[in-house]
């Protein structure tokens, strides 16, 4: 992220990294917008600010955070309208305006996600689909999961997971190997008295199991990551390991693989596997599009 900020700065393009769910973070964005509009504000009674981006990038979530902040500043405003948000692209289907300030009146427009008319290459399409900008059905969950594994492996990410929680992963490593001969009934998660806490622990444990499975397969891999056939073999091993880690029963091969892919993609998109930037920073000689 820091490299991308430096890249935009070097091309004299404003860039601000924010978390749409953090009020402190969004306030920094509002301050930048106010600074950029300072001259216009002095002579225009009404301003429109448009939020534009690819589908499912968090535009509506940002709009809602702006509403929460400005409602405290301007309590006389009408009741706040919330922009519809959702995990899939295409939730926002029309252009909606939301008032965020008085004197001058400033409106923010929440727009449907937009994409270029044609995606330039396959990898760009996979990245867009992986982030949810393109519906999974267009590419296929299994192919997306394979691409995500290829990215993680090429970056050596599983080794970083080991360093994050060495003791926990080493303990789970032995447990992971022992589960090979356990029955399906033994693998089913046990019920706990507090369902809410149980759900939280279940997700965290699942994340650790997934990280452990990928670390073990990666650490024991003796092939060449730059060789396409070797990388494919590693990914196949990881699919099998993920199925065990996620406690997915042995069903028809295709059905089990799709279940593995869906769960793996969900963990990635929830941020449970960590923050990732899929695009590499371009050469300093090339302008940022």
């Amino acid at each position: 992220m820091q490299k991308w900020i430096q890249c935009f700065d070097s091309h004299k393009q404003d860039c601000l990294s924010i978390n749409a769910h953090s009020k402190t973070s969004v306030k920094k964005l509002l301050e930048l917008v106010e600074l950029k509009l300072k001259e216009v504000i002095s002579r225009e009674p009404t301003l429109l600010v448009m939020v534009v981006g690819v589908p499912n990038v968090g535009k509506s979530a940002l709009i809602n955070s702006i509403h929460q902040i400005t409602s405290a500043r301007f309590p006389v405003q009408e009741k706040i309208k919330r922009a519809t948000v959702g995990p899939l692209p295409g939730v926002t289907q029309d252009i909606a305006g939301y008032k965020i300030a008085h004197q001058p009146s400033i409106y923010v427009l929440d727009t449907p996600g937009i994409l270029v008319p044609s995606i330039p290459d396959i990898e760009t399409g996979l990245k867009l689909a992986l982030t949810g900008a393109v519906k999974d059905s267009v590419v296929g969950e299994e192919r997306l999961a394979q691409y995500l594994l290829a990215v993680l492996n090429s970056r050596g990410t599983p080794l970083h997971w080991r360093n994050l929680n060495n003791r926990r992963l080493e303990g789970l490593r032995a447990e992971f190997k022992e589960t090979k001969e356990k029955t399906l009934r033994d693998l089913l998660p046990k019920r706990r008295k507090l369902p809410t806490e149980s759900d939280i622990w279940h997700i965290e444990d699942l994340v650790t199991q997934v990280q452990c499975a990928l670390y073990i397969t990666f650490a024991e891999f003796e092939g060449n990551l730059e060789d396409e056939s070797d990388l494919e073999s590693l990914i196949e091993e990881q699919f099998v390991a993920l199925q065990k880690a996620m406690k997915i029963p042995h069903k028809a091969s295709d059905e089990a693989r799709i279940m593995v892919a869906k769960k793996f993609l969900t963990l990635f998109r929830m941020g449970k596997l960590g923050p990732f930037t899929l695009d590499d920073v371009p050469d300093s000689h090339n302008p940022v599009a």
Side-chain angles (χ1 to χ4, degrees):
M1 180 67 75
Q2 192 57 41
K3 288 180 180 179
W4 269 109
I5 293 173
Q6 291 170 357
C7 178
F8 281 112
D9 286 342
S10 69
H11 290 87
K12 308 298 181 185
Q13 293 179 335
D14 292 313
C15 178
L16 187 66
S17 61
I18 66 166
N19 177 352
H21 300 285
S22 165
K23 288 184 179 180
T24 303
S25 184
V26 175
K27 282 179 181 177
K28 292 180 181 178
L29 174 63
L30 291 176
E31 290 170 2
L32 178 62
V33 171
E34 189 174 351
L35 178 64
K36 291 292 177 181
L37 295 178
K38 195 169 184 180
E39 290 185 11
V40 184
I41 288 175
S42 64
R43 61 177 186 270
E44 295 291 340
T46 303
L47 295 174
L48 296 178
V49 179
M50 186 178 291
V51 179
V52 182
V54 298
N56 206 41
V57 77
K59 297 182 295 297
S60 296
L62 174 61
I63 291 284
N64 290 332
S65 291
I66 291 174
H67 266 306
Q68 291 174 10
I69 294 169
T70 56
S71 64
R73 292 181 182 176
F74 307 102
V76 295
Q77 284 194 83
E78 64 274 12
K79 188 177 179 181
I80 291 174
K81 298 176 182 177
R82 290 187 63 83
T84 306
V85 299
L88 298 176
V91 173
T92 304
Q93 308 214 346
D94 56 3
I95 297 177
Y98 302 90
K99 192 171 186 177
I100 63 168
H102 291 301
Q103 297 177 353
S105 295
I106 300 179
Y107 292 83
V108 172
L109 299 183
D110 184 18
T111 62
I114 57 170
L115 284 174
V116 291
S118 61
I119 296 172
D121 55 75
I122 293 174
E123 188 170 10
T124 300
L126 288 169
K127 289 175 181 177
L128 287 168
L130 195 53
T131 57
V134 176
K135 291 182 179 180
D136 290 350
S137 57
V138 175
V139 179
E141 289 90 348
E142 186 178 339
R143 189 180 183 191
L144 279 178
Q146 288 172 331
Y147 174 69
L148 176 56
L149 286 170
V151 171
L152 297 178
N153 289 325
S154 64
R155 295 181 179 184
T157 302
L159 295 180
H160 295 296
W161 286 334
R162 180 182 184 274
N163 296 331
L164 283 175
N165 200 343
N166 192 31
R167 289 184 182 179
R168 177 65 173 147
L169 285 176
E170 284 301 322
L172 283 171
R173 180 172 185 163
E175 182 183 337
F176 178 76
K177 289 186 175 180
E178 287 174 6
T179 59
K180 289 182 178 179
E181 297 181 0
K182 286 188 176 182
T183 64
L184 175 59
R185 181 174 297 177
D186 294 328
L187 290 174
L188 291 174
K190 294 179 174 56
R191 292 183 179 179
R192 296 178 175 88
K193 293 181 180 179
L194 298 174
T196 323
E197 290 189 15
S198 171
D199 290 342
I200 295 171
W201 279 107
H202 174 69
I203 292 175
E204 295 306 318
D205 185 56
L206 175 62
V207 170
T208 311
Q209 292 280 3
V210 165
Q211 291 176 337
C212 178
L214 295 182
Y215 162 67
I216 293 171
T217 51
F218 186 87
E220 295 177 351
F221 174 65
E222 296 180 353
N224 181 3
L225 287 174
E226 295 183 2
D227 184 282
E228 190 173 337
S229 60
D230 283 358
L231 181 58
E232 286 178 359
S233 297
L234 172 59
I235 291 172
E236 284 304 306
E237 288 181 22
Q238 290 176 325
F239 255 89
V240 174
L242 285 173
Q243 184 173 346
K244 293 175 182 176
M246 295 174 178
K247 301 177 175 58
I248 294 175
H250 292 281
K251 300 183 178 182
S253 178
D254 290 345
E255 186 180 352
R257 289 175 70 86
I258 291 174
M259 289 177 67
V260 169
K262 285 183 175 181
K263 284 194 173 187
F264 188 49
L265 291 172
T266 298
L267 291 177
F268 170 76
R269 289 165 177 164
M270 289 173 65
K272 293 297 182 180
L273 300 180
F276 293 92
T277 301
L278 297 175
D279 276 334
D280 295 321
V281 179
D283 257 352
S284 57
H285 303 292
N286 298 327
V288 179

